Amino acid sequence: MIRLLKIEWLKIKTYTGFILMASFFVLGVFATNYIVYLFKRNVLDKVQGSQILFSGSPFDFDMVWKTVSYYSSYFLMLPALLLVILMSNEFTYKTHRQNIIDGVSRFEFLKTKLAMAFLFAVASTLVVILTALIFGVTSGSAFSLNGFENIGYFLLKALTYNMVAILISLLVRKSGVAIALFFIYTIFENGISLLLFFLAVKLKKDSGFDWGNLGNYLPMNASDGLLTSPFQQFEGIAKNILPSNFNMIVLAFAIAYIILFYLWSKRKMMNSDL
């Protein structure tokens, strides 16, 4: 496995797409959180009465893990898209077939790609941890690990996106189509998730029974639902009408979907034609 991963690194370390995607991700994570920081300091803090709704700073150490994880998660499309391109290129240029002819088993080939998906997720998470530390230290607040579980949720979301990227690449095998399908599915699921959210609100209102946010039970939105906005005061105001966040149930769904993506990818790789 280590030898195969070293080969993968040699493939991508000078690849322009990898360099650009990685650079955009790092810059995007830092820039987005800095924009939120400036907005809170220069806009929200100067609105009369805002201290009642937005007390403290979302970048103090008791909140920074949650804040940075939430806003950084919007850039997880980038490593996932990079995986789609890298994986699809293997099929486009038949390099996967050459690897198998040279003695790499189908499962070893798949394990290497899955390991890359995991390493991309870990690397993305390390960027978020470093960014959170920078903003937390500069806030002047005392160091705290309160809310650090949000880093774990970020890692889970990154892994989910990457696993979906691997699966779509295996199913389609053409870079352009795979990228389009990845975007289309993401938009489609988000649309369905929004409809299910409104349904959950209606069910709670009509029956009085709280089913939770039904949209968070979908494949990609399960991990999304674990990362919530640091500005939740408005949710508290509407607590009686909004569905609850059943994090443990959503977490179980997120983990189950990752296992499903793995099994589906393995079945596809082992049984499809080269």
Side-chain angles (χ1 to χ4, degrees):
M1 173 63 73
I2 300 298
R3 180 179 64 85
L4 294 175
L5 286 174
K6 286 181 178 179
I7 292 173
E8 292 296 326
W9 172 245
L10 291 175
K11 289 181 185 177
I12 68 173
K13 70 176 184 178
T14 57
Y15 178 51
T16 304
F18 169 73
I19 296 171
L20 288 176
M21 290 284 195
S23 300
F24 286 150
F25 179 83
V26 174
L27 291 174
V29 165
F30 187 85
T32 299
N33 284 283
Y34 186 63
I35 289 170
V36 175
Y37 169 78
L38 291 178
F39 181 76
K40 173 68 168 62
R41 188 184 68 177
N42 298 327
V43 179
L44 291 182
D45 288 350
K46 294 184 179 180
V47 175
Q48 186 175 5
S50 64
Q51 291 77 11
I52 299 175
L53 288 176
F54 306 108
S55 57
S57 169
F59 294 98
D60 288 343
F61 261 114
D62 58 344
M63 284 291 292
V64 70
W65 307 112
K66 181 175 187 176
T67 302
V68 175
S69 295
Y70 177 78
Y71 289 107
S72 301
S73 67
Y74 288 105
F75 289 90
L76 285 175
M77 295 284 286
L78 293 177
L81 284 174
L82 178 60
L83 278 170
V84 170
I85 295 170
L86 294 175
M87 188 78 173
S88 300
N89 284 345
E90 295 278 5
F91 298 110
T92 300
Y93 299 110
K94 309 298 183 184
T95 51
H96 75 294
R97 181 183 298 174
Q98 187 61 50
N99 287 338
I100 293 172
I101 291 173
D102 291 340
V104 177
S105 69
R106 290 180 182 231
F107 189 50
E108 284 179 324
F109 175 82
L110 178 61
K111 281 198 303 182
T112 304
K113 300 305 179 185
L114 294 175
M116 286 183 61
F118 177 75
L119 291 174
F120 277 19
V122 170
S124 301
T125 305
L126 290 176
V127 171
V128 169
I129 291 174
L130 180 60
T131 303
L133 285 172
I134 291 172
F135 278 96
V137 169
T138 55
S139 73
S141 59
F143 179 79
S144 171
L145 289 175
N146 289 338
F148 193 77
E149 67 274 7
N150 288 280
I151 297 295
Y153 296 154
F154 179 91
L155 175 62
L156 188 65
K157 181 174 179 178
L159 190 56
T160 298
Y161 274 49
N162 292 349
M163 290 296 291
V164 171
I166 293 291
L167 177 59
I168 288 177
S169 300
L170 284 168
L171 293 174
V172 178
R173 297 192 171 201
K174 293 183 179 180
S175 182
V177 179
I179 292 173
L181 183 59
F182 183 83
F183 273 115
I184 291 170
Y185 177 76
T186 302
I187 295 170
F188 174 77
E189 186 178 301
N190 285 333
I192 296 298
S193 176
L194 186 60
L195 293 176
L196 289 175
F197 170 76
F198 289 127
L199 175 61
V201 173
K202 186 176 187 303
L203 289 173
K204 183 176 181 179
K205 177 183 176 183
D206 294 345
S207 66
F209 187 79
D210 191 351
W211 293 88
N213 185 350
L214 297 176
N216 286 343
Y217 304 148
L218 296 175
M220 293 180 75
N221 277 276
S223 55
D224 279 350
L226 294 169
L227 291 170
T228 55
S229 171
F231 300 107
Q232 288 185 304
Q233 288 84 345
F234 288 121
E235 290 185 16
I237 296 172
K239 186 176 181 180
N240 292 332
I241 62 172
L242 292 179
S244 302
N245 293 318
F246 298 131
N247 279 359
M248 289 300 101
I249 297 176
V250 176
L251 178 62
F253 269 101
I255 294 173
Y257 282 128
I258 288 178
I259 295 172
L260 174 63
F261 297 149
Y262 164 73
L263 294 174
W264 193 353
S265 298
K266 181 180 177 182
R267 179 181 176 84
K268 180 64 178 177
M269 186 65 205
M270 300 302 289
N271 297 326
S272 62
D273 295 332
L274 291 179

